[in-house]
Amino acid sequence: MTDAECAIIDQMGARQKLVPAKHDIVREGDIPTESCLVLSGFSARYHLLANGKRQISAIHVSGDFVDLHSLLLNEMDHGVVALSDCQVALVPHRMLRELTETEPHLSRLLWLSTLIDAAVHRRWLVTSGRLSASAQLAHLLCEIFLRLQVVELVDGNRFSFPISQVELSDALGLSTVHMNRTIRDLREHELVSWKGSEVTILNWDRLAEHGDFDAAYLNIGQQVR
């Protein structure tokens, strides 16, 4: 981006708030007048079923617009919850609409962001339907690692992943007991070390192979002009 475009992005993040872990950033049924850009922390898109069960359909990291589509869609058909304490920037829709009229390159980058979000969603559908539980988790860890690497939040082959086994269960559609066994399986095969919220990838090639992971859908490094 040009210096002028970076200045616009800085201006977009002027109004901020801290959302504590376990609290909603956006609630299902809301009609937002602003979109939330995650500056730090982990959050998740989720849906609540009639029986009270929850399905997490996306995990967001720093740099993600968690509800950019609310600029064009009215009522939110899902919620977004903070998995850890999250610092978010509140970007008014008025400012985003002005940006689409005056800054074509930034508009295309925002469009690209929504397209990558859709690509991630499609890949989650594929992995949940066709991969084993341990392969699903391996795929997710590969994805999160690369997305954090882009925003410089990894330390070598280690990264912080403050998500509980219950939340992982909601993301992968598993029971907490099955989730525990799945994590143990990756540890026993020496693919990852997982201590508290710190995950260390011990063998990237084997982990990616186990999860049938191909990073092409993330479009890392794509340029739009």
Side-chain angles (χ1 to χ4, degrees):
M1 297 189 296
T2 65
D3 290 342
E5 289 169 339
C6 289
I8 291 172
I9 297 297
D10 286 340
Q11 184 181 4
M12 288 169 58
R15 192 161 73 90
Q16 302 178 14
K17 72 174 181 179
L18 177 66
V19 181
K22 316 303 180 186
H23 286 66
D24 279 341
I25 297 174
V26 186
R27 290 186 297 271
E28 184 174 353
D30 281 355
I31 302 178
T33 59
E34 54 200 9
S35 291
C36 298
L37 173 64
V38 178
L39 302 178
S40 66
F42 286 79
S43 60
R45 182 181 301 156
Y46 72 94
H47 303 259
L48 284 178
L49 305 181
N51 61 9
K53 292 185 178 181
R54 181 177 69 171
Q55 178 66 49
I56 288 177
S57 56
I59 294 176
H60 295 293
V61 302
S62 299
D64 287 353
F65 262 112
V66 297
D67 60 342
L68 184 58
H69 48 275
S70 68
L71 173 64
L72 299 176
L73 302 177
N74 290 321
E75 184 175 326
M76 292 288 291
D77 65 352
H78 62 273
V80 180
V81 64
L83 298 178
S84 65
D85 291 347
C86 287
Q87 188 75 18
V88 300
L90 308 174
V91 185
H93 286 169
R94 169 191 52 78
M95 181 180 292
L96 290 171
R97 282 192 291 270
E98 291 174 357
L99 184 147
T100 63
E101 295 171 358
T102 61
E103 298 292 336
H105 178 233
L106 286 181
S107 298
R108 287 190 288 270
L109 288 177
L110 293 178
W111 185 14
L112 176 62
S113 175
T114 61
L115 293 175
I116 293 174
D117 184 61
V120 171
H121 185 66
R122 289 192 297 271
R123 188 54 59 98
W124 276 40
L125 287 174
V126 172
T127 59
S128 65
R130 293 300 178 187
L131 296 185
S132 67
S134 64
Q136 284 185 62
L137 181 57
H139 191 283
L140 176 63
L141 293 177
C142 288
E143 176 189 302
I144 295 297
F145 176 81
L146 289 185
R147 290 169 61 193
L148 291 175
Q149 190 178 55
V150 168
V151 290
E152 300 180 349
L153 290 177
V154 302
D155 179 14
N157 59 347
R158 294 192 303 274
F159 62 97
S160 176
F161 194 34
I163 181 170
S164 70
Q165 289 192 23
V166 171
E167 290 160 343
L168 274 176
S169 299
D170 289 344
L172 299 186
L174 305 173
S175 70
T176 51
V177 173
H178 195 179
M179 191 71 252
N180 185 272
R181 289 199 301 264
T182 301
I183 294 173
R184 187 170 65 243
D185 181 62
L186 295 187
R187 284 172 169 158
E188 289 176 350
H189 285 84
E190 298 183 345
L191 299 178
V192 300
S193 169
W194 202 320
K195 298 178 180 178
S197 63
E198 184 178 276
V199 178
T200 303
I201 297 178
L202 301 177
N203 191 314
W204 170 266
D205 290 339
R206 287 179 56 217
L207 185 68
E209 181 181 7
H210 183 60
D212 197 17
F213 181 78
D214 181 346
Y217 71 100
L218 294 175
N219 285 276
I220 293 172
Q222 179 161 341
Q223 299 298 312
V224 177
R225 273 288 172 188

